[in-house]
């Protein structure tokens, strides 16, 4: 690179980068010297070299000094008009960073700095509103947690009362009532206190056994339950309480009420890579071709809730299928994906 080009490159680099990295005050001083003092000094020296110490040279010197003074005044005014709003903005931002969200820049001028100040003030106001909303939300959350704790007093009181009644029944050697109260207490505990949406197959079957134990007191001798749930399915997860509504349909709508014992079968097996849960009874059944003949519940809230929940958690590929025939009973099949751990729930 030729020397003159190299010098020009250095000067250009200084003009683009060096000046930009300087403070505003130093930048204005250098700009003032380059744009005002040096050209006027050059003009005066050039005039002096041509005319010597004459009146024209003196006049040019006076004019140059006046122009230097005027330019200096304008430069100082420009520096103050730029530096003061920036310093005020910096001090305000420092106060905001220290937690004072009540302070604002409030620059009422009509320039770019004012526009920037208005945007900063708007952001601080937005942050303040979001913090207030968060505080209100946390306060509301604490109140709801307190109410929830207060509401939990009643279930605990109920469990304590049921346990007392169970002890009284055991003292009176009434095993049926004692077992029914124990099952009711466990079922309420698992449904009211346990707020987990997914439980294991083993826990679901335990809840189902408690339910049947309670219904045995009311419908003594009208049904018998058979379980076929291999141990390999015990730890797989499923939505809570999807079998109880189906079992309730079998007990309430499948029984003959004429002294015959209805067999109910609860089973679990593989369906490809999925799990098939089945609640089957040998009860009265109903005609699938006439929806009005279907007992309330099979086409109602209970079954729809089971199917809707499964569709919601997974997809329409899973769900509940019901088959029935008069005099041959009803079979409810629930297909769910095989979920071996809570981490696998994230896939759905």
């Amino acid at each position: 690179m030729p020397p003159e080009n190299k010098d020009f490159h250095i000067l250009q680099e200084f003009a683009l980068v060096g000046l930009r990295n300087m403070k505003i005050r130093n930048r204005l001083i250098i700009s003032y010297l380059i744009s005002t003092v040096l050209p006027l000094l050059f003009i005066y020296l050039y005039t002096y070299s041509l005319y010597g110490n004459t009146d024209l040279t003196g006049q040019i010197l006076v004019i140059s000094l006046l122009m230097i003074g005027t330019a200096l005044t304008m430069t100082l005014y420009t520096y103050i008009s730029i530096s003061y709003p920036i310093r005020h903005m910096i001090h305000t931002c420092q106060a905001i960073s220290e937690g004072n969200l009540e302070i604002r820049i409030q620059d009422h001028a009509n320039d770019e700095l004012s526009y920037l100040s208005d945007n900063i003030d708007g952001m601080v106001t937005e942050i303040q509103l979001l913090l207030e909303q968060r505080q209100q939300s946390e306060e509301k959350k604490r109140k709801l947690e307190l109410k929830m704790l207060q509401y939990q007093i009643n279930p605990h009181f109920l469990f304590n009362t049921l346990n007392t009644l169970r002890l009284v029944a055991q003292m009176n050697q009434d095993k049926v009532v004692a077992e029914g109260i124990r099952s009711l207490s466990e079922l309420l505990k698992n449904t009211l206190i346990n707020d987990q949406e997914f439980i294991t197959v083993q826990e679901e079957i335990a809840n189902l056994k408690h339910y049947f134990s309670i219904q045995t007191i009311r419908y003594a001798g009208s049904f018998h339950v058979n379980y076929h749930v291999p141990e390999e399915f015990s730890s797989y997860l499923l939505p809570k309480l999807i079998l109880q509504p189906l079992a309730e349909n079998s007990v309430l709508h499948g029984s003959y009420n004429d002294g015959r014992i209805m067999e109910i079968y609860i089973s679990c097996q593989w369906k490809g890579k999925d799990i098939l849960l089945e609640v089957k009874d040998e009860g009265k059944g109903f005609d699938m071709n006439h929806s009005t003949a279907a007992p309330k519940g099979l086409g109602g809230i209970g079954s729809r809730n089971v199917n809707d929940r499964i569709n919601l958690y997974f997809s329409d590929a899973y769900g509940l299928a019901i088959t029935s025939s008069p005099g041959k009973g009803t079979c409810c099949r629930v297909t769910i994906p095989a979920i071996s751990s809570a981490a696998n729930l994230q896939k759905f």
Side-chain angles (χ1 to χ4, degrees):
M1 179 182 295
E4 59 273 10
N5 292 341
K6 185 176 180 180
D7 295 339
F8 176 77
H9 179 73
I10 294 174
L11 182 61
Q12 185 183 37
E13 185 73 17
F14 173 76
L16 294 177
V17 180
L19 284 176
R20 187 174 59 197
N21 293 334
M22 291 183 178
K23 293 184 178 181
I24 295 176
R25 180 180 57 188
N26 297 335
R27 197 183 310 171
L28 289 175
I29 292 174
I30 293 176
S31 299
Y32 171 73
L33 292 175
I34 295 175
S35 62
T36 304
V37 177
L38 292 180
L40 292 175
L41 181 61
F42 174 79
I43 292 172
Y44 172 74
L45 293 176
Y46 180 75
T47 304
Y48 184 82
S49 64
L50 292 177
Y51 301 102
N53 192 10
T54 61
D55 293 340
L56 178 61
T57 304
Q59 292 175 358
I60 290 177
L61 177 62
V62 172
I63 294 174
S64 298
L65 292 176
L66 290 176
M67 293 180 67
I68 290 174
T70 303
L72 178 61
T73 303
M74 296 178 64
T75 301
L76 290 175
Y77 174 79
T78 303
Y79 168 71
I80 294 174
S81 65
I82 294 176
S83 62
Y84 175 77
I86 292 178
R87 285 200 303 269
H88 178 61
M89 188 183 302
I90 292 173
H91 294 157
T92 304
C93 289
Q94 288 177 345
I96 293 172
S97 65
E98 293 172 357
N100 185 6
L101 298 179
E102 300 294 334
I103 194 172
R104 297 292 184 274
I105 300 175
Q106 294 182 342
D107 189 347
H108 301 293
N110 187 20
D111 54 17
E112 291 80 0
L113 290 177
S114 175
Y115 177 77
L116 178 61
S117 300
D118 291 341
N119 279 273
I120 294 175
D121 289 344
M123 286 190 294
V124 174
T125 301
E126 187 70 21
I127 292 173
Q128 188 177 22
L129 291 176
L130 290 175
L131 290 176
E132 291 177 357
Q133 291 176 0
R134 180 181 177 183
Q135 185 177 4
Q136 293 174 358
S137 177
E138 291 180 351
E139 184 178 355
K140 184 178 180 180
K141 182 180 178 181
R142 286 194 296 269
K143 291 181 179 179
L144 290 175
E145 289 176 348
L146 179 60
K147 287 185 178 180
M148 185 177 67
L149 182 62
Q150 293 171 345
Y151 291 152
Q152 286 180 346
I153 294 176
N154 289 332
H156 285 296
F157 174 74
L158 177 61
F159 298 145
N160 293 333
T161 304
L162 288 174
N163 287 329
T164 302
L165 294 176
R166 181 171 62 87
L167 292 176
V168 172
Q170 289 178 343
M171 292 174 61
N172 293 329
Q173 297 183 349
D174 195 335
K175 295 182 180 180
V176 176
V177 175
E179 181 63 23
I181 293 175
R182 187 189 71 82
S183 296
L184 177 61
S185 177
E186 291 296 325
L187 186 60
L188 290 175
K189 183 185 299 182
N190 292 333
T191 55
L192 293 180
I193 291 184
N194 184 3
D195 58 352
Q196 295 179 347
E197 297 182 14
F198 283 78
I199 60 176
T200 63
V201 172
Q202 182 179 7
E203 292 171 329
E204 180 72 5
I205 297 300
N207 289 335
L208 200 59
K209 289 181 178 180
H210 291 315
Y211 170 77
F212 280 128
S213 178
I214 296 169
Q215 293 293 56
T216 300
I217 300 175
R218 181 179 179 185
Y219 301 97
S222 64
F223 65 89
H224 179 261
V225 186
N226 304 274
Y227 297 94
H228 179 66
V229 182
E231 185 67 24
E232 61 179 307
F233 295 101
S234 298
S235 60
Y236 283 90
L237 299 177
L238 77 169
K240 183 170 62 175
L241 297 177
I242 62 172
L243 296 182
Q244 181 178 322
L246 308 180
E248 185 176 359
N249 285 328
S250 295
V251 174
L252 297 181
H253 307 298
S255 300
Y256 290 101
N257 299 323
D258 58 1
R260 285 184 289 177
I261 298 178
M262 177 184 63
E263 294 291 335
I264 300 177
Y265 300 91
I266 310 296
S267 63
C268 182
Q269 57 186 312
W270 289 108
K271 184 182 178 182
K273 295 183 179 181
D274 300 323
I275 294 177
L276 177 64
L277 297 163
E278 192 173 88
V279 178
K280 181 180 179 182
D281 66 70
E282 296 179 349
K284 294 184 294 185
F286 64 94
D287 190 353
M288 296 286 294
N289 296 323
H290 298 83
S291 59
T292 56
K296 182 180 180 182
L298 285 174
I301 297 176
S303 299
R304 283 203 305 268
N305 179 266
V306 170
N307 190 65
D308 291 345
R309 286 171 61 203
I310 294 175
N311 293 157
L312 179 65
Y313 288 131
F314 310 118
S315 68
D316 293 340
Y318 303 95
L320 170 66
I322 300 176
T323 58
S324 184
S325 180
K328 296 184 179 180
T330 302
C331 182
C332 300
R333 295 182 177 90
V334 176
T335 305
I336 59 174
I339 304 174
S340 58
S341 64
N344 291 337
L345 284 174
Q346 305 298 327
K347 299 178 181 179
F348 299 95

